[in-house]
Amino acid sequence: MIRIFLIRFILPLIAFLVIRYLVKSIWGSYRASVPASKGESENVRAGGELKRDPVCGTYVAAASAFTRVVDGRPVYFCSTACRDKYHSA
């Protein structure tokens, strides 16, 4: 009885899991070896350096951020609402 259970259910399950693991590891190594497409690398460069919004804490690209000069230094914000909230505080 136990032998039939092992042969019919447990061994195929183990074989399936092993094959699944091998396929995932091969696919992962393939994806890591393929360079990023031209469009993806351009998006990263276009954003530039990330700055932290002092109001909400999110990170925003310096090129697309809303800025305000405070004490002679630029402060970067994710939105006009955060910029105005910082100014009023």
Side-chain angles (χ1 to χ4, degrees):
M1 183 73 171
I2 293 176
R3 182 178 287 171
I4 293 172
F5 179 74
L6 284 173
I7 292 172
R8 289 198 176 184
F9 298 107
I10 300 299
L11 289 179
L13 177 64
I14 292 171
F16 170 76
L17 292 174
V18 167
I19 291 170
R20 181 175 166 236
Y21 172 77
L22 291 173
V23 168
K24 278 185 143 186
S25 63
I26 291 170
W27 179 253
S29 65
Y30 169 74
R31 294 275 301 173
S33 67
V34 174
S37 69
K38 185 176 180 183
E40 292 174 2
S41 61
E42 286 178 359
N43 289 338
V44 173
R45 275 188 253 124
E49 184 180 2
L50 295 179
K51 300 292 184 175
R52 188 171 186 270
D53 185 324
V55 176
C56 64
T58 59
Y59 287 90
V60 62
S64 64
F66 297 93
T67 60
R68 171 157 290 161
V69 178
V70 178
D71 296 329
R73 303 173 92 187
V75 180
Y76 300 90
F77 302 96
C78 66
S79 66
T80 56
C82 283
R83 182 186 65 194
D84 295 340
K85 196 180 290 185
Y86 183 82
H87 182 65
S88 65

